[in-house]
Amino acid sequence: MPDQHSTLRAQRRADTQRTIQAHAVRLFTERGYDATTVTDVAEAAGVSPMTVYRHFPTKEDLVLADRNGRLVAERIAASSAAQPLVRRIGTALIDSAATLTDGGPGSDPTANERFLLARLRLMISTPALRARHLDNHYALQQAIVDAVGGDTTDPDAVFPTRAAAGACLAALHTALVRWAEDDGRTALPDLIAKALAAAFGDDITGTRPNT
Amino acid sequence: MPDQHSTLRAQRRADTQRTIQAHAVRLFTERGYDATTVTDVAEAAGVSPMTVYRHFPTKEDLVLADRNGRLVAERIAASSAAQPLVRRIGTALIDSAATLTDGGPGSDPTANERFLLARLRLMISTPALRARHLDNHYALQQAIVDAVGGDTTDPDAVFPTRAAAGACLAALHTALVRWAEDDGRTALPDLIAKALAAAFGDDITGTRPNT
DNA sequence: ACCAATCTGGTAGTGACTACCGCTCCGGTA
DNA sequence: TACCGGAGCGGTAGTCACTACCAGATTGGT
């Protein structure tokens, strides 16, 4: 069988996924996450509760589902190993954020950006989602370590890399929270740069933040 | 009514809490977290499932319950505001860890330290616990910000503090993971100092790690 | 036209968690 | 010493997330 098994099947599957997730985020925002049952989401999306669980393993994944982590890891693996770790990771995070929010930065939020903000607000305000989101960052930390280190398996060798990656992701998270508080009015890459500068010193980011 | 309502009541309550938590951690370690039901824990502790829920709001709290966060925040509030933020928070974390694991550092782990290690291993290996543990660190981050900032309410003013505190706690988490991987053979304060040095540079910790 | 794989839905069940209600025992008071 | 208020403890019934196990429908390749 071809790996691209069927364009039509994959298309329909992706469509229903997007539909379910859109209705889920809308309902969670309107009524609250805990007050909305999976059955409510299924009814709003016009599918059965079973179908929801087939596309999203848990209720939390209805908000968290996202594949941006891979992007960051790839960007780091492709970056130059000559510069210091924190700068290497930091620039990758800033560039990835710029790619993700490439629409108008302040006055004209694109639909994609509004959806990102809605999901982010839910992730921050709902304890269960916030916890899982932070755990996703922990998984991303390990992916970054793998992308940086190459092939080290000695735990003593990867330890400093893990520490640096974790600290960078904490700065990213702080920037994301601030971005959501600000309703996306400030450009996300600038916020990440500022967070990195606050944690590691102004000299760590390659290009200084413009604010 | 006096705030110290009754020594005997509080004593018995604390006793049952410790008993339930001890049996819970033991069962979770033996059979796995997901494979152990709250009813199992209740039976092992000799109480009813209801009593477990009275003492621990969720199953996860059976592993996570601890009040060390308050210690860190108090230590930071009492520290000198003259030194840079990261050093101020970092030394507080190192000192708190030293207080917490004051038993023999390597060869003679005290019972308290073994219990800490068992809980930590569960927190790291079980996704749900790991997520909640990271969320506790997020709450601790806000407590640190409050302890540092005094009375700033402007989000733009607390942003750098949040970033620095988050990055420090990420380093702490990396050190905790390494400590658990190492079965507590390396002194935890030294690991924290090494993690902070790896993230922020060797000059940030007041006293250099001795390894 | 046929077959295999996939998508979808239903049923029944487990387990975490939450009201709501009584019982018992401790701690101070008349 | 007898008594009363409150706190700890247990039971019942229910909601909801989530998981097998099974059956029908649709699509893609032969």
Side-chain angles (χ1 to χ4, degrees):
Chain A
M1 64 178 76
D3 61 339
Q4 177 82 7
H5 187 52
S6 146
T7 308
L8 198 143
R9 279 236 161 105
Q11 185 70 27
R12 289 176 71 88
R13 183 172 180 82
D15 281 349
T16 53
Q17 274 200 13
R18 262 192 300 274
T19 303
I20 292 173
Q21 195 183 26
H23 283 280
V25 171
R26 180 179 57 80
L27 289 179
F28 292 161
T29 302
E30 288 173 6
R31 311 183 195 169
Y33 178 79
D34 292 320
T36 308
T37 69
V38 175
T39 306
D40 293 338
V41 174
E43 285 179 6
V47 296
S48 83
M50 294 299 311
T51 305
V52 176
Y53 282 114
R54 295 211 197 276
H55 288 272
F56 300 91
T58 73
K59 182 184 179 185
E60 294 156 359
D61 287 300
L62 284 167
V63 179
L64 295 162
D66 168 342
R67 300 138 213 78
N68 306 325
R70 191 176 297 270
L71 184 79
V72 176
E74 286 168 4
R75 212 178 279 264
I76 287 176
S79 69
S80 154
Q83 45 193 337
L85 254 184
V86 172
R87 173 178 298 184
R88 197 172 160 201
I89 299 171
T91 53
L93 293 178
I94 294 172
D95 293 347
S96 297
T99 304
L100 213 66
T101 66
D102 53 0
S107 57
D108 179 30
T110 177
N112 178 43
E113 199 169 319
R114 266 189 284 117
F115 189 60
L116 240 73
L117 271 170
R119 286 175 48 216
L120 200 50
R121 268 191 289 266
L122 283 170
M123 289 184 216
I124 294 167
S125 59
T126 309
L129 295 175
R130 190 177 53 218
R132 281 266 336 244
H133 181 237
L134 289 166
D135 193 48
N136 283 358
H137 272 197
Y138 180 70
L140 180 54
Q141 174 187 359
Q142 298 188 244
I144 289 176
V145 170
D146 292 342
V148 163
D151 45 86
T152 43
T153 54
D154 178 25
D156 281 325
V158 297
F159 177 69
T161 308
R162 275 200 252 174
C168 287
L169 288 176
L172 167 67
H173 185 256
T174 303
L176 285 173
V177 170
R178 186 77 191 84
W179 189 59
E181 284 176 354
D182 211 35
D183 277 327
R185 275 187 288 272
T186 311
L188 182 55
D190 289 351
L191 283 174
I192 300 174
K194 278 171 69 179
L196 290 167
F200 302 106
D202 294 309
D203 54 329
I204 204 65
T205 55
T207 62
R208 289 173 44 234
N210 54 12
T211 51
Chain B
M1 67 176 74
D3 62 339
Q4 174 83 7
H5 187 54
S6 146
T7 309
L8 198 144
R9 278 237 164 104
Q11 185 69 29
R12 288 176 72 88
R13 183 171 177 84
D15 281 348
T16 53
Q17 274 200 14
R18 262 193 299 274
T19 303
I20 292 173
Q21 194 182 27
H23 282 281
V25 171
R26 181 179 56 79
L27 287 179
F28 291 160
T29 303
E30 288 173 6
R31 311 183 196 169
Y33 178 79
D34 292 319
T36 308
T37 69
V38 174
T39 305
D40 293 338
V41 174
E43 286 179 4
V47 295
S48 84
M50 293 301 309
T51 304
V52 175
Y53 282 114
R54 292 207 200 279
H55 288 271
F56 300 91
T58 74
K59 181 185 180 186
E60 294 155 359
D61 288 299
L62 284 167
V63 179
L64 295 162
D66 85 24
R67 300 134 212 85
N68 307 326
R70 191 176 297 269
L71 185 78
V72 175
E74 288 170 2
R75 213 178 278 262
I76 287 176
S79 69
S80 155
Q83 44 193 338
L85 254 182
V86 171
R87 173 177 300 183
R88 198 174 158 200
I89 300 172
T91 51
L93 293 179
I94 295 172
D95 292 348
S96 298
T99 303
L100 213 67
T101 65
D102 52 0
S107 56
D108 179 31
T110 177
N112 177 44
E113 199 168 320
R114 265 190 284 117
F115 189 59
L116 241 74
L117 271 170
R119 286 175 47 215
L120 201 50
R121 269 191 289 264
L122 283 170
M123 290 185 216
I124 294 168
S125 59
T126 309
L129 295 176
R130 190 177 53 218
R132 282 269 332 247
H133 182 238
L134 290 166
D135 192 49
N136 283 357
H137 272 198
Y138 180 71
L140 181 55
Q141 174 187 358
Q142 299 189 242
I144 289 176
V145 171
D146 291 341
V148 163
D151 45 87
T152 44
T153 54
D154 177 26
D156 280 327
V158 297
F159 177 69
T161 309
R162 276 201 251 174
C168 287
L169 288 177
L172 167 66
H173 186 257
T174 303
L176 285 173
V177 170
R178 186 75 191 85
W179 190 57
E181 284 176 355
D182 210 36
D183 276 329
R185 276 187 285 273
T186 311
L188 180 56
D190 289 351
L191 283 174
I192 299 174
K194 279 171 70 177
L196 289 168
F200 302 106
D202 293 311
D203 55 330
I204 203 66
T205 54
T207 61
R208 290 171 47 234
N210 53 12
T211 50

